[in-house]
Amino acid sequence: MRDDVGTQHRLFAIVLAAGESKRFGSVKQLATLGSETLVCRAARVARACCHRNTAIVVGHRAWDVLSAAGGQCQFALVNDRHAQGIGTSIALAATAFANLADALVLLLADQPLVRAQHLERLIAAWSGDDTHIVTSRYRHTTGPPVLLPRGSFASLRELKGDSGAKALLGDDRFSVTELPLEEAALDIDTPADLERLYQAAE
């Protein structure tokens, strides 16, 4: 992480882990890769980047997922509306940290190839401006991990359903930097996705 981040800006890494994993057939946050659950892996990455300024948003099987995160996150938010979609988790995080954070770094629990250095690249690319978003680009699209500054929080608090923060990328109020991060293209949606990852690692 940049040397000046801790002194000039308050950044919080938020692990989004509230989903029901319907395509996976069970709670994928609890699935293991090696000896580590997917949610613990994501929480560890968040902590390695932002240290104590980390939070996890849980919902479905909240206490099981929180336990599997291994105490890596300093804060835990329980999203009672998780069944309505990821937008509600982002809205909850933006509301909870509105008065604490200058920017939020959002990452998903099901992107196991994302590393702390990837989050640090997002932070290093951020100008510190309230309207500057830094997002990842992979497979001809953009998505998490993404850094969202304070100027976006009001819009984030209004998110509903499955609408994430992508709509803000085309909003003229914000400038956007896209960083290539093909590792984020692998997200675990089905057991077959996890099996392919195992095979690739062999």
Side-chain angles (χ1 to χ4, degrees), residues 6-7 13-15 17 22 32 42 57 61 67-68 77 97 99 101 105 112 115 131 158 167 170 180 193:
T7 56
I14 313 295
V15 179
K22 291 181 179 178
T32 57
V57 182
R61 297 271 300 274
S67 176
L77 305 173
F97 292 99
N99 296 322
V105 180
R115 302 286 187 266
T131 59
E158 298 299 319
D193 294 332

Side-chain angles (χ1 to χ4, degrees), residues 2-202:
R2 269 188 344 209
D3 290 341
D4 63 344
V5 165
T7 56
Q8 293 189 5
H9 305 290
R10 297 170 299 175
L11 293 106
F12 284 76
I14 313 295
V15 179
L16 301 176
E20 296 185 23
S21 314
K22 291 181 179 178
R23 291 179 59 191
F24 195 80
S26 60
V27 184
K28 65 181 174 183
Q29 297 93 317
L30 305 181
T32 57
L33 185 60
S35 61
E36 193 173 40
T37 62
L38 291 181
V39 68
C40 186
R41 191 181 187 92
R44 176 173 52 80
V45 166
R47 187 177 182 87
C49 177
C50 288
H51 311 293
R52 291 173 63 86
N53 288 358
T54 57
I56 184 170
V57 182
V58 294
H60 181 63
R61 297 271 300 274
W63 306 116
D64 291 333
V65 173
L66 187 58
S67 176
Q72 297 282 351
C73 293
Q74 182 72 13
F75 304 95
L77 305 173
V78 179
N79 180 9
D80 293 330
R81 299 188 297 146
H82 63 88
Q84 297 176 24
I86 194 171
T88 61
S89 289
I90 298 173
L92 179 62
T95 299
F97 292 99
N99 296 322
L100 294 175
D102 294 315
L104 302 178
V105 180
L106 304 183
L107 63 154
L108 305 180
D110 63 354
Q111 291 177 308
L113 298 186
V114 170
R115 302 286 187 266
Q117 56 264 38
H118 298 143
L119 305 187
E120 290 165 0
R121 285 179 55 209
L122 294 179
I123 293 170
W126 182 46
S127 65
D129 191 274
D130 280 351
T131 59
H132 181 204
I133 296 172
V134 186
T135 189
S136 303
R137 169 162 284 278
Y138 41 89
R139 290 186 183 172
H140 310 295
T141 189
T142 55
V146 57
L147 183 149
L148 297 160
R150 175 182 292 277
S152 69
F153 289 2
S155 296
L156 297 179
R157 290 197 296 267
E158 298 299 319
L159 291 177
K160 300 177 182 178
D162 285 323
S163 298
K166 184 172 286 191
L168 299 185
L169 304 184
D171 191 317
D172 291 339
R173 294 174 298 165
F174 302 102
S175 62
V176 179
T177 297
E178 298 179 358
L179 297 182
L181 179 55
E182 286 303 319
E183 291 88 343
L186 177 65
D187 59 346
I188 305 300
D189 284 331
T190 67
D193 294 332
L194 192 59
E195 180 61 27
R196 282 193 292 270
L197 184 58
Y198 272 120
Q199 292 174 356
E202 292 178 351

